[in-house]
Amino acid sequence: MKKFVLLFCFLISISCLAQQRHLTFMGIPIDGTINTFEAKLKSKGMLPNTETNKSLPFGKRMFRGVYIGRNVNITVNYTGKTKTVYSIEIGFADENQNIVNNFESDFIEGVKRKYKDCHMFGENNGPDKTIYVYQTKGFDNFMWENVVGILKTEWMTIIGKPKAEYSDLKEKIIRSVKIYYIDKLNLERKDDENASDI
């Protein structure tokens, strides 16, 4: 009986570890083919951006929908050979800086709640942030082998100035933040696939 309990605990711990091997986006593991991933995104209400997808390079597919309560554009990146999804980019922009700040804050707080059982290490580069998510908590886990994925935010300001002949128009400033979900295992798969062509 004691062996059975130990075996059961061991299997549960392996199962938990296996479930944390890939980052998830909206509850969907960042894994599998682009077509499978697209079907799962559609079930969450995300719609393909058909017109934009016609002009995107191979390995990218864009969607639009609601994320953290805001209308966003989502780009899914996948490998060339196996078409395995390895990263997600979420773009959000608004003229109001506070609205964009709140979006980023909601994302960061959500990450802290979602990955509370994992160890996270963050870096700031000006307004941009990078968060490394590790498989378990602990102070000895800061090795690349233990990274599940990387979450990043990048800020951009777009300034639109009207031409002289349109002097009645005002300058327009748009604040933008882009959020990246990068799955470590599939990023390495992409790098291996690319290296096999060299």
Side-chain angles (χ1 to χ4, degrees), residues 8 14 17 19 32 55 64 86 94 98 113 117 119 151 154 159 163 166 171-172 176 182 184 192:
F8 181 74
I14 287 177
L17 186 60
Q19 290 173 6
S55 63
R64 61 184 184 281
Y86 66 89
D94 197 279
N98 290 331
R113 281 192 299 278
D117 294 332
H119 187 79
L151 303 165
E154 289 182 354
I159 301 174
K163 293 181 179 180
Y166 300 105
E171 179 177 283
K172 192 171 196 174
S176 172
I182 305 166
K184 179 206 155 203
D192 290 345

Side-chain angles (χ1 to χ4, degrees), residues 159-173:
I159 301 174
K161 294 186 179 190
K163 293 181 179 180
E165 60 263 24
Y166 300 105
S167 60
D168 56 327
L169 296 176
K170 293 183 178 180
E171 179 177 283
K172 192 171 196 174
I173 299 174

Side-chain angles (χ1 to χ4, degrees), residues 136-153:
T136 58
K137 285 190 171 185
F139 294 105
D140 57 348
N141 290 327
F142 294 109
M143 297 181 345
W144 180 246
E145 294 81 30
N146 292 330
V147 171
V148 176
I150 304 162
L151 303 165
K152 293 175 63 172
T153 64

Side-chain angles (χ1 to χ4, degrees), residues 6 18 22 28 40 49 52-53 55-56 84 105 128 143 147 149 159 175 180 184 192-193 196 198:
L6 287 174
H22 292 282
I28 307 167
K40 292 175 182 178
N49 194 331
T52 302
N53 284 335
S55 63
L56 287 177
T84 302
S105 294
D128 302 339
M143 297 181 345
V147 171
I159 301 174
R175 311 286 188 214
Y180 298 88
K184 179 206 155 203
D192 290 345
E193 283 184 23
S196 72
I198 297 173

